[in-house]
Amino acid sequence: FKGPEEGRQAARNMLDALRPGGRLVMDMIGKEVVARTLCERDWKEEGRTLLLRERSLTEKFSRIENRWIVIDDSGRQELRFSQRLYSAVELSSLLEDVGFVGIEMYGNLSFQPYDRNATRLVAIARKP
């Protein structure tokens, strides 16, 4: 999302799409996980394909800008994309503000606590 209002509108749309009692499950990389694990540059080779990845934090740690270069038999392709980062508190507040209830945060899809060992940010929320 480009800005906070787009994120809020997306959350409202998710709430509206659910039946009463329906559950939302979101799986993303949390801001706290990024702070602990960010690797600004890396590369990965799979077969005859080379992937170069570059990441940088922007907008007061609210976004991560990505630049990927893929080199394979067909040549070189560059991809750029941006992701909005949420902390557990920010995401929980957003979901609550638009009307979700019973909001829970986990550190992975095995429902481990969202703590310093978290590898993901998994949010589960319910429509009243």
Side-chain angles (χ1 to χ4, degrees):
F1 310 114
K2 290 184 180 177
E5 190 50 43
E6 286 183 9
R8 186 171 309 289
Q9 186 60 52
R12 279 190 206 109
N13 291 346
M14 289 181 247
L15 181 70
D16 292 344
L18 291 171
R19 295 180 182 155
R23 294 195 182 271
L24 169 71
V25 178
M26 297 179 77
D27 173 25
M28 63 183 65
I29 189 86
K31 191 181 278 190
E32 299 89 347
V33 175
V34 170
R36 188 180 75 239
T37 64
L38 180 69
C39 175
E40 291 181 355
R41 290 180 188 85
D42 68 354
W43 60 277
K44 184 165 78 170
E45 192 170 3
E46 289 188 21
R48 297 173 56 91
T49 301
L50 179 62
L51 173 61
L52 309 167
R53 297 182 292 196
E54 184 176 59
R55 301 162 198 90
S56 61
L57 298 170
T58 61
E59 297 180 31
K60 299 179 184 173
F61 199 41
S62 66
R63 303 195 73 75
I64 186 166
E65 302 293 332
N66 297 275
R67 178 179 172 227
W68 290 9
I69 299 173
V70 180
I71 302 170
D72 60 16
D73 291 339
S74 63
R76 177 185 185 275
Q77 180 181 6
E78 184 171 322
L79 307 165
R80 290 180 182 262
F81 59 97
S82 177
Q83 296 167 276
R84 170 76 160 89
L85 293 173
Y86 289 93
S87 70
V89 169
E90 291 167 338
L91 183 57
S92 181
S93 294
L94 171 65
L95 295 174
E96 184 177 3
D97 287 350
V98 300
F100 280 99
V101 296
I103 301 163
E104 301 171 29
M105 297 289 165
Y106 297 100
N108 58 35
L109 290 170
S110 297
F111 306 110
Q112 297 298 311
Y114 191 73
D115 59 17
R116 63 184 171 84
N117 298 314
T119 56
R120 306 289 302 163
L121 172 54
V122 178
I124 301 176
R126 184 174 46 81
K127 180 175 181 172

